[in-house]
Amino acid sequence: MGLTVAIMTDEIGWHTRQLQAALRVRGCIGRCIDLADCRIDTTAAWHGLVIPGFGRELPDAVLVRGIAGGSFEQVTKRLGVLHALRELGVPVYNDARAIERSVDKSMTSLLLHAARIPTPPTWATESLAQAQRIAIREGAAGHALVLKPLFGSQGKGLRLVGEVDGVHHALPDIDKAYGGLAYLQHFLPAAATPGFDWRVLVIGGRAVTAMRRVSAHWIHNVAQGARCEPAELTTELAQLAEGAAQALGMDYAGVDLMPSPPARPGARSRDGIQVIEVNGAAAWQGVQRVTRFNIAAALVDDLLGRRLALSDGSGRSKVSRRA
């Protein structure tokens, strides 16, 4: 009998259907589970977890597709379930440590900086006065900033700070909309018209495909209306994306990169391509439209072949984790 893989997701749709189909091809079962429905119960089984649909057993592997937002306590419990599964010997792809590093944008920036991956200068502070001083200082040096929610995604909540195209954008009250934290990063103006960034998909430590996200707006997320175009996976893009994924300890990652704009007179220049964000539960529907191979199959093959050491032609007996 094939292995049973828990697909942790708060949303069933195209991505989960793709993963389930790829698992069926490999003789496995993909079962969609919402981490919000999982719980800790030390009286229920030897391992102390309750994973819906698994009774007293545990999944043979876990593939994390998405984690629902919630209170600090709720998210802590959901990540705690993933931590516990890893400690119990269940391969978790990506595991909770990697997800925590990528969800927290300030930690992503810190780890990229420590690994010497080119990334825009970044600040995270709880002091509005200090954030204002940073904005004034950087503005004097010719740099506008982007204010981002620490845990945001899909381009939501991004705000310009400073002067862009002759318009001044004031720093908003961070207590009201940003949880009392200013996460600020150098704004990279478009290097071409229209502007674009790259999304590179890394699977098992290797960059496998890339696309350009093109938009007349300065935010290039597909969820904000950007269009997807094929992009050559150059050596530079691949090396930067692979280095970023390695710095965060990711099994798979969607790495966002941007070209540096031409330096303005008097401004400090940072040449080349820079890594903007690293996504630990990256969607791939957009990049699939410009990629010839099946991405879900590549993810499943990496999970089974690298993490579980199962080859396409081998017998796959189910691992027992009974009491």
Side-chain angles (χ1 to χ4, degrees):
M1 183 177 178
L3 304 181
T4 301
V5 177
I7 303 171
M8 297 301 188
T9 180
D10 60 319
E11 189 175 280
I12 295 175
W14 182 87
H15 289 89
T16 53
R17 290 193 296 271
Q18 291 280 306
L19 291 170
Q20 287 176 315
L23 285 163
R24 283 195 298 271
V25 169
R26 293 295 304 270
C28 302
I29 298 169
R31 188 172 293 161
C32 293
I33 307 291
D34 191 336
L35 275 165
D37 296 329
C38 300
R39 65 183 190 272
I40 294 170
D41 184 345
T42 59
T43 70
W46 65 270
H47 44 73
L49 294 175
V50 176
I51 311 295
F54 286 89
R56 292 176 56 82
E57 295 188 46
L58 294 174
D60 294 301
V62 169
L63 200 159
V64 180
R65 171 66 205 108
I67 302 173
S71 67
F72 178 77
E73 291 81 2
Q74 288 171 323
V75 173
T76 298
K77 188 275 296 180
R78 293 164 195 171
L79 289 169
V81 170
L82 295 181
H83 279 296
L85 286 164
R86 176 183 175 275
E87 294 302 317
L88 289 163
V90 179
V92 180
Y93 185 105
N94 284 309
D95 72 21
R97 299 170 304 170
I99 291 170
E100 287 167 346
R101 294 173 188 136
S102 63
V103 168
D104 177 353
K105 289 185 176 65
S106 64
M107 182 55 64
T108 297
S109 296
L110 194 66
L111 291 172
L112 292 175
H113 175 73
R116 301 185 181 277
I117 304 294
T119 192
T122 302
W123 300 263
T125 176
E126 297 180 41
S127 167
L128 178 60
Q130 190 171 52
Q132 290 169 333
R133 288 195 294 271
I134 292 167
I136 292 169
R137 184 189 70 218
E138 293 304 309
H143 295 288
L145 303 173
V146 180
L147 174 67
K148 300 181 180 182
L150 191 68
F151 303 120
S153 63
Q154 299 183 328
K156 298 176 182 176
L158 272 60
R159 296 275 296 270
L160 291 173
V161 176
E163 186 172 321
V164 178
D165 296 330
V167 178
H168 180 74
H169 304 266
L171 182 72
D173 186 345
I174 60 174
D175 287 329
K176 290 184 177 179
Y178 294 87
L181 183 82
Y183 171 83
L184 297 161
Q185 194 170 64
H186 268 190
F187 170 62
L188 299 181
T193 303
F196 70 93
D197 68 5
W198 292 279
R199 163 63 63 89
V200 177
L201 191 64
V202 178
I203 300 177
R206 186 171 66 89
V208 296
T209 187
M211 69 173 175
R212 293 202 328 165
R213 303 185 298 186
V214 181
S215 176
H217 195 274
W218 64 274
I219 300 175
H220 301 125
N221 296 75
V222 174
Q224 301 298 322
R227 70 176 185 272
C228 304
E229 293 183 352
E232 178 188 1
L233 183 56
T234 64
T235 299
E236 183 179 13
L237 282 174
Q239 289 178 344
L240 287 172
E242 289 168 2
Q246 182 180 17
L248 273 68
M250 315 287 264
D251 287 309
Y252 77 102
V255 182
D256 299 338
L257 309 96
M258 284 189 69
S260 295
R264 295 187 298 176
R268 297 193 298 270
S269 174
R270 290 176 67 88
D271 296 329
I273 299 170
Q274 299 186 53
V275 175
I276 306 301
E277 291 187 10
V278 184
N279 302 276
W284 66 88
Q285 191 167 12
V287 72
Q288 182 66 82
R289 292 198 290 267
V290 297
T291 300
R292 294 182 178 180
F293 64 87
N294 186 293
I295 292 171
L299 289 165
V300 167
D301 287 347
D302 184 54
L303 168 63
L304 300 181
R306 182 176 58 86
R307 294 297 305 276
L308 290 170
L310 298 176
S311 65
D312 287 341
S314 67
R316 293 180 291 278
S317 59
K318 189 165 184 175
V319 178
S320 175
R321 292 190 176 87
R322 299 178 186 271

